[in-house]
Amino acid sequence: MFQNKLLNRMMIIILVIALLGIVAFFTLDKIYAKPTDGEPSIDEILQYSQDFEEITTNLKNGGYVRIQFKIQTDSKKAKNELIKRDFQIRNTIIHLISDKDKKDFSGKESLQSIEAEIEIALNEFMEDGKVVSVYITSFLLQN
């Protein structure tokens, strides 16, 4: 390699130290990494979620509802698609809600059912990911 034995030894020592440093880094990274249980953190939920403007629409039986949503996606790409499809989302939600009666908005299970129904409907036209959850963030029912 080099003519000087001292220089050869220094190069070997530097390479060994560098390799040990790399091995130590990856070992410590594995040991101290936070375990993930599949559930996203609140920061991830907020990063991939989008708030939508309040929607006011008539109900089938003559009353009306004023409702607002936060929609969670599975990726940044899906969130961007969701923002672009704002008009389709609003249209889909209006169609789904305007076909409901006042009784369809009574109780926790009814609201969860509406959220699930909207999630399924939105996933039908999503191309770059999917809707993970729909959250009702504001709700007013008027007779």
Side-chain angles (χ1 to χ4, degrees):
M1 193 163 162
F2 294 108
Q3 296 290 336
N4 191 344
K5 288 183 180 183
L6 181 61
L7 190 59
N8 282 342
R9 288 181 184 159
M10 283 179 22
M11 291 297 289
I12 291 171
I13 291 172
I14 289 172
L15 286 174
V16 168
I17 290 172
L19 286 173
L20 286 174
I22 291 170
V23 169
F25 174 77
F26 285 110
T27 304
L28 291 174
D29 188 47
K30 286 280 188 191
I31 291 173
Y32 292 108
K34 290 183 179 179
T36 56
D37 56 358
E39 291 295 317
S41 69
I42 189 63
D43 292 329
E44 291 171 329
I45 291 172
L46 291 175
Q47 180 181 9
Y48 300 140
S49 296
Q50 179 65 34
D51 288 309
F52 285 87
E53 291 180 21
E54 194 170 70
I55 296 173
T56 303
T57 188
N58 295 327
L59 297 174
K60 188 169 32 174
N61 61 358
Y64 73 90
V65 66
R66 185 174 291 160
I67 196 163
Q68 189 171 8
F69 297 94
K70 179 182 279 287
I71 299 175
Q72 177 190 350
T73 62
D74 63 346
S75 67
K76 186 74 170 167
K77 212 172 178 183
K79 179 183 176 182
N80 290 336
E81 179 183 2
L82 202 67
I83 293 168
K84 291 176 187 175
R85 293 183 181 273
D86 176 68
F87 69 98
Q88 289 176 313
I89 291 167
R90 293 178 63 78
N91 178 270
T92 301
I93 291 172
I94 288 170
H95 282 267
L96 288 172
I97 291 177
S98 65
D99 197 38
K100 304 277 184 208
D101 288 325
K102 289 181 233 178
K103 67 179 180 354
D104 294 325
F105 291 92
S106 62
K108 177 181 173 183
E109 290 82 18
S110 299
L111 294 177
Q112 288 174 337
S113 172
I114 291 169
E115 290 171 342
E117 194 176 335
I118 291 170
E119 179 183 330
I120 291 167
L122 296 182
N123 276 322
E124 288 179 7
F125 57 78
M126 290 292 290
E127 295 174 356
D128 292 333
K130 67 177 191 167
V131 172
V132 175
S133 262
V134 175
Y135 303 98
I136 296 174
T137 57
S138 175
F139 171 71
L140 174 68
L141 178 64
Q142 185 68 40
N143 293 330

